[in-house]
Amino acid sequence: MDVEDFWRFLERSGEETTGPQSRAAWLEYRLSRIAVDHIVDFQIHLDTVRGPIDTFDMWGAANQVMDGLCSGDGFWYFQAWLIGQGQRWWQHAARAPDNLVDVPAVLALAGRRPQEWANTEWPSWEELASVAPAAYDRVTGEEEGMDEALSARGHRLPFDTVLAGRPWNSDSLAEVECRLPRLSRLFPRHQYLEP
């Protein structure tokens, strides 16, 4: 499976189903019908496309969209959600996190506080990380065999990485307005921000 196949699988899950859990179930089922090596490829591509959006700037942008509610785990799930928006929107946001204002699913959240968002609207897709491992387990019968398969291919797991870029205070109003001018206008923070 090459990276274009990866994006096709991911985008088709959004065309065939709605909601993060339904999409994950669709992907797991489809992946369990292909060669085991391709399931491993899917996971490697997923981990690889996290790289360009695994930055302090993107975390600050996610935190702005979520009104200051983006923890470390929340950012991990946000990355999966952004990848799930498809290659076009992932690339656009990866170029500059402030470009999140152009992503249709982000625009749909604007003007409402997070507590008003439906569960399926949250910019979070926790289940995506377990899709390929679950498909691998289903096909091979090996519980947690994906880690060994990834290791055998020399793949470094993404939770071993360090965020790229310079750390900054995404709770500082001045820094947010400077680094994310469009997002700060579209998503004014309701949580306390330092001046």
Side-chain angles (χ1 to χ4, degrees):
M1 174 183 292
D2 64 20
V3 72
E4 293 306 317
D5 292 330
F6 163 80
W7 285 113
R8 275 192 286 280
F9 264 87
L10 204 56
E11 291 169 3
R12 183 137 180 245
S13 74
E15 296 164 3
E16 298 285 331
T17 65
T18 58
Q21 291 174 336
S22 297
R23 288 183 71 187
W26 187 94
L27 281 166
E28 182 183 333
Y29 174 76
R30 295 292 183 205
L31 288 173
S32 69
R33 315 241 359 114
I34 63 175
V36 173
D37 284 347
H38 295 318
I39 299 171
V40 177
D41 292 339
F42 183 93
Q43 186 64 47
I44 290 172
H45 292 308
L46 175 61
D47 294 344
T48 301
V49 299
R50 277 186 190 274
I53 58 173
D54 198 21
T55 67
F56 285 104
D57 287 345
M58 187 61 76
W59 193 353
N63 200 42
Q64 187 67 24
V65 170
M66 291 187 227
D67 203 22
L69 302 172
C70 189
S71 66
D73 286 347
F75 183 50
W76 180 259
Y77 307 146
F78 173 86
Q79 290 175 353
W81 173 85
L82 180 56
I83 292 164
Q85 299 308 301
Q87 186 176 19
R88 173 184 176 203
W89 295 116
W90 166 81
Q91 283 178 329
H92 186 63
R95 276 188 219 105
D98 207 27
N99 287 344
L100 282 171
V101 300
D102 303 319
V103 177
V106 172
L107 286 170
L109 302 174
R112 296 181 292 143
R113 296 181 75 166
Q115 56 265 37
E116 298 169 358
W117 301 343
N119 286 341
T120 57
E121 289 181 294
W122 264 88
S124 175
W125 194 6
E126 179 179 359
E127 299 86 358
L128 182 58
S130 61
V131 164
Y136 187 93
D137 292 353
R138 179 188 289 188
V139 170
T140 64
E142 298 174 31
E143 215 169 294
E144 299 185 25
M146 177 65 84
D147 289 346
E148 288 181 24
L150 292 169
S151 181
R153 301 231 332 234
H155 181 68
R156 184 174 174 208
L157 298 175
F159 51 77
D160 294 337
T161 62
V162 178
L163 291 176
R166 185 177 63 81
W168 59 284
N169 183 359
S170 64
D171 287 327
S172 163
L173 183 59
E175 284 203 64
V176 169
E177 288 177 349
C178 178
R179 289 175 175 269
L180 306 166
R182 297 167 63 207
L183 269 177
S184 66
R185 286 190 300 274
L186 189 62
F187 288 92
R189 291 277 287 277
H190 297 94
Q191 301 288 325
Y192 172 78
L193 283 177
E194 298 172 9

